[in-house]
């Protein structure tokens, strides 16, 4: 992971050139700065893994590194727990990040921090204003969008008021047509009543 010093002179022999090529091939590129790289190496090498203070964005990068370099479950779970702890006001962002990594466990942890009301209104649990559920879901990977549309929603017949043509009878006994709101039975999608049931459905492949 550490680069070697560059050759002193600009003119190098074939042997040195070949050595330079081999050296570059053996370098592991990490798309993080040196500080975060140091955190990651210390985290992996410690007898008792401990995470230094990191921002939400940097903790996401650490989890990507854990995935890239196949860290142990112990390390991955510690980073997941840190992310959930840092996710207040960012649960939808965390859910989107988990979907990009296809980390179902992290996604479940994010969902359990939500509730049916906040999820169905596309907002954070502590938020006062509704978001837009469709926009929130569109930030997720396509596979997770399908899962989160099918898991918390159920098909059923619902009653809605529709503005339609109606036939009325006047006081003189004559039929006439007018427009009015009428209760109408239509197919619809409604959210399941149990948020726990939705979370449990998310981790299954049914």
């Amino acid at each position: 992971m550490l680069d070697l010093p560059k050759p002193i002179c600009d003119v190098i022999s074939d042997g040195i050139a070949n050595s330079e090529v081999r050296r570059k091939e053996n370098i592991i590129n990490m798309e993080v700065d040196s500080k975060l790289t140091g955190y990651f190496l210390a985290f992996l090498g410690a007898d008792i893994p401990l995470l230094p203070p990191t921002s939400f964005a940097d903790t996401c990068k650490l989890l990507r590194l854990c995935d890239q370099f196949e860290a142990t479950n112990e390390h991955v779970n510690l980073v997941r727990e840190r992310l959930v702890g840092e996710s207040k006001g960012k649960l939808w962002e965390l859910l989107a990040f988990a979907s990009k990594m296809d980390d179902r466990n992290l996604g479940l942890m994010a969902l359990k921090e939500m509730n049916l009301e906040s999820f169905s209104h596309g907002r954070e649990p502590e938020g006062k204003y509704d978001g837009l559920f469709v926009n929130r879901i569109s930030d997720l990977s396509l596979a997770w969008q399908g899962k989160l549309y099918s898991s918390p929603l159920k098909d059923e017949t619902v009653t809605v008021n529709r503005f339609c043509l109606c036939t009325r009878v006047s006081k003189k006994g004559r039929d006439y047509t007018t427009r009015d709101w009428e209760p109408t039975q239509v197919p619809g999608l409604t959210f399941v009543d149990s948020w726990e049931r939705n979370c449990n459905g998310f981790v299954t492949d049914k």
Side-chain angles (χ1 to χ4, degrees):
M1 295 180 185
L2 302 176
D3 204 349
L4 297 175
K6 294 182 178 179
I8 297 175
C9 59
D10 294 333
V11 181
I12 55 177
S13 66
D14 291 340
I16 296 177
N18 290 334
S19 176
E20 180 73 6
V21 170
R22 288 194 298 272
R23 180 183 65 79
K24 289 183 177 180
E25 288 176 348
N26 291 329
I27 292 174
I28 300 174
N29 292 316
M30 301 173 69
E31 296 181 358
V32 294
D33 59 29
S34 58
K35 181 179 179 180
L36 200 60
T37 301
Y39 282 174
F40 178 64
L41 294 177
F43 176 55
L44 291 186
D47 293 334
I48 301 176
L50 293 174
L51 273 174
T54 50
S55 65
F56 179 81
D58 281 346
T59 310
C60 287
K61 292 177 183 178
L62 284 175
L63 188 59
R64 285 192 181 278
L65 289 175
C66 286
D67 180 65
Q68 181 182 354
F69 295 102
E70 299 181 349
T72 66
N73 288 335
E74 180 183 10
H75 290 89
V76 172
N77 287 334
L78 284 172
V79 180
R80 284 177 181 149
E81 290 172 4
R82 167 68 66 81
L83 272 175
V84 174
E86 295 172 339
S87 64
K88 184 176 181 180
K90 299 179 180 178
L91 282 173
W92 279 99
E93 186 178 342
L94 177 60
L95 190 62
F97 170 73
S99 78
K100 299 302 189 298
M101 292 192 63
D102 196 26
D103 188 334
R104 191 76 67 87
N105 289 324
L106 181 60
L108 178 60
M109 293 170 74
L111 286 173
K112 285 185 174 181
E113 294 295 315
M114 299 182 180
N115 53 54
L116 181 57
E117 182 181 3
S118 66
F119 179 81
S120 62
H121 288 85
R123 68 168 184 245
E124 300 293 324
E126 67 278 2
K128 296 180 180 180
Y129 304 101
D130 290 349
L132 188 58
F133 175 76
V134 175
N135 287 350
R136 293 288 199 177
I137 286 291
S138 66
D139 290 335
L140 277 57
S141 67
L142 291 177
W144 280 38
Q145 287 182 43
K147 185 67 178 177
L148 286 172
Y149 270 121
S150 61
S151 179
L153 297 170
K154 57 183 178 180
D155 295 321
E156 62 180 8
T157 301
V158 295
T159 302
V160 296
N161 286 324
R162 284 189 168 177
F163 202 55
C164 54
L165 293 174
C166 305
T167 301
R168 307 293 189 194
V169 180
S170 68
K171 294 180 180 179
K172 296 181 179 180
R174 296 178 180 177
D175 294 340
Y176 67 97
T177 302
T178 185
R179 285 183 172 273
D180 201 355
W181 293 102
E182 286 286 334
T184 308
Q185 296 288 318
V186 297
L189 292 173
T190 59
F191 285 96
V192 297
D193 298 329
S194 170
W195 184 240
E196 182 180 358
R197 176 184 164 191
N198 172 57
C199 292
N200 291 336
F202 175 75
V203 296
T204 65
D205 291 324
K206 295 182 180 180

